[in-house]
Amino acid sequence: MTANTVAELNKRFGIAGVAVVEAGEKGLARVSVKTAAAEGHVYLHGAHVSHYQRTGEAPMLYMDKSSWFESGKPIRGGVPVIFPWFGPNPNDKTQPAHGLVRQREWELVSVAQQEKDAVCVTLAIKSNEEMKKAWGHDFELTYRVVIGRTLSMSLIVKNTGSESFSCENALHTYFRVGDIHNTTVSGLENTSYLSKVEGGVIVNPGDNPVKFEKETDRVYFNTRAVCVIKDRILNRHILVEKEGSLATVVWNPWIDKAKAMPDFTDDAWPTMVCVEAVNAGFCAWTVNPGESRAVTQIVH
Ligand code: TA6
């Protein structure tokens, strides 16, 4: 995006002293918010929240220093917006993993100050011919990100076509932790999960919180639970709430998977964990013509 366009966007949407549209990594346009409560960055590329930090605390989101910031490529870290499929495209392996919208530019719709120390950034994207060819349906997505004492992200999916469609979606949030070996995730006890690293076996964890001793890639189904990331090194608990989602994914790539990803710093895997609000598999949505459905993740 040209500097001129960024300047034009800032003229239209900037709020003096609170929000500015600026050139971020590799010149990509982002909305940078800073209030007394917190700061954050939202890129138009992928509608990607890349940074959220509450005043006086360590950043809450993980962002890989090797991440691409390029048109057509996903950003590694922060909160990838996943739609309309989760993981690889089941029908066409040439399609990008995790859907069509995380590597595309979204339209900045509005930047609005809310209660004293919070700002709401709204972005949108509509299906085009290329996306319709890849997936076959018309849709409009609206994404509302509120940066304040909490980080709230709501993805609204509208079916603008004439037929019902089934879709998957996720807010694929990468959290920063001091050391994954000293981190647990609670809230998913006694909730069955599909373990991707153990060939898709279904496991019931019993009363145990999630501990991390190897690559961990779990899809917990039929859960609306609040998760708590307990970080003994950064000495904090991050609460991860959600609405409109019946599956939660917990992921850490560990050593080999981290090395295998070119945009993931090899030795950075101990400093992150994904806890994701997901609708996928048998928790996928059916959206009827004209209908809208929303998934929200609230972090604090
Ligand atoms: O959500 C977990 C997962 O599906 C893992 O299986 C792994 O493929 C990861 O997502 C990849 O995340 P990325 O940000 O590279 O799309």
Side-chain angles (χ1 to χ4, degrees):
M1 182 172 284
T2 66
N4 187 29
T5 315
V6 170
E8 283 164 13
L9 285 171
N10 189 47
K11 200 180 293 179
R12 283 179 62 196
F13 296 104
I15 302 174
V18 173
V20 61
V21 181
E22 61 186 12
E25 294 287 340
K26 299 283 178 58
L28 293 182
R30 71 185 183 196
V31 181
S32 177
V33 170
K34 186 164 178 58
T35 73
E39 64 180 51
H41 297 156
V42 188
Y43 280 86
L44 276 59
H45 179 71
H48 201 112
V49 177
S50 65
H51 172 62
Y52 172 65
Q53 181 171 12
R54 300 198 320 187
T55 304
E57 297 183 11
M60 206 173 268
L61 302 180
Y62 171 84
M63 177 51 65
D64 199 287
K65 60 179 188 289
S66 309
S67 176
W68 299 308
F69 284 87
E70 295 172 38
S71 177
K73 289 188 173 180
I75 294 173
R76 168 79 60 197
V79 187
V81 177
I82 311 297
F83 176 88
W85 59 79
F86 185 84
N89 180 310
N91 307 313
D92 179 353
K93 297 294 177 237
T94 66
Q95 292 297 328
H98 284 331
L100 294 167
V101 297
R102 66 185 296 203
Q103 61 284 70
R104 281 181 163 86
E105 179 134 333
W106 291 50
E107 177 199 356
L108 181 56
V109 174
S110 65
V111 179
Q113 195 151 12
Q114 301 208 318
E115 70 274 2
K116 197 162 62 76
D117 290 334
V119 173
C120 179
V121 179
T122 302
L123 304 107
I125 191 168
K126 292 179 183 174
S127 52
N128 60 21
E129 279 314 304
E130 187 188 14
M131 289 191 264
K132 185 153 181 190
K133 185 165 177 287
W135 185 53
H137 302 286
D138 284 315
F139 60 87
E140 279 180 27
L141 305 184
T142 302
Y143 191 45
R144 294 201 183 96
V145 179
V146 180
I147 294 169
R149 195 67 198 146
T150 65
L151 169 65
S152 166
M153 299 164 285
S154 291
L155 176 68
I156 299 130
V157 174
K158 182 175 183 180
N159 181 343
T160 53
S162 55
E163 295 173 352
S164 299
F165 61 63
S166 171
C167 68
E168 298 181 327
N169 53 74
L171 300 174
H172 187 302
T173 309
Y174 284 71
F175 292 95
R176 176 175 167 182
V177 295
D179 180 355
I180 196 68
H181 302 91
N182 288 285
T183 298
T184 60
V185 174
S186 62
L188 298 167
E189 293 79 358
N190 299 303
T191 306
S192 295
Y193 65 87
L194 180 150
S195 173
K196 286 191 187 173
V197 296
E198 288 150 334
V201 67
I202 303 292
V203 179
N204 186 315
D207 290 334
N208 307 309
V210 186
K211 292 189 181 79
F212 300 89
E213 293 147 349
K214 60 179 180 178
E215 180 185 352
T216 304
D217 194 349
R218 301 177 179 182
V219 185
Y220 291 81
F221 286 109
N222 293 322
T223 174
R224 293 182 171 86
V226 178
C227 291
V228 184
I229 301 170
K230 297 180 178 176
D231 182 339
R232 284 177 30 205
I233 302 298
L234 293 180
N235 191 27
R236 70 177 175 189
H237 289 182
I238 298 177
L239 272 68
V240 186
E241 302 180 55
K242 65 175 188 174
E243 295 157 10
S245 155
L246 278 179
T248 295
V249 168
V250 177
W251 178 58
N252 180 282
W254 219 252
I255 303 165
D256 295 342
K257 180 66 79 69
K259 280 189 185 139
M261 294 184 284
D263 59 335
F264 197 108
T265 306
D266 287 359
D267 60 358
W269 55 272
T271 63
M272 57 71 66
V273 65
C274 283
V275 177
E276 309 164 31
V278 177
N279 292 292
F282 54 84
C283 296
W285 283 352
T286 295
V287 187
N288 299 315
E291 185 185 20
S292 293
R293 295 189 69 174
V295 55
T296 298
Q297 190 180 63
I298 303 158
V299 173
H300 48 103

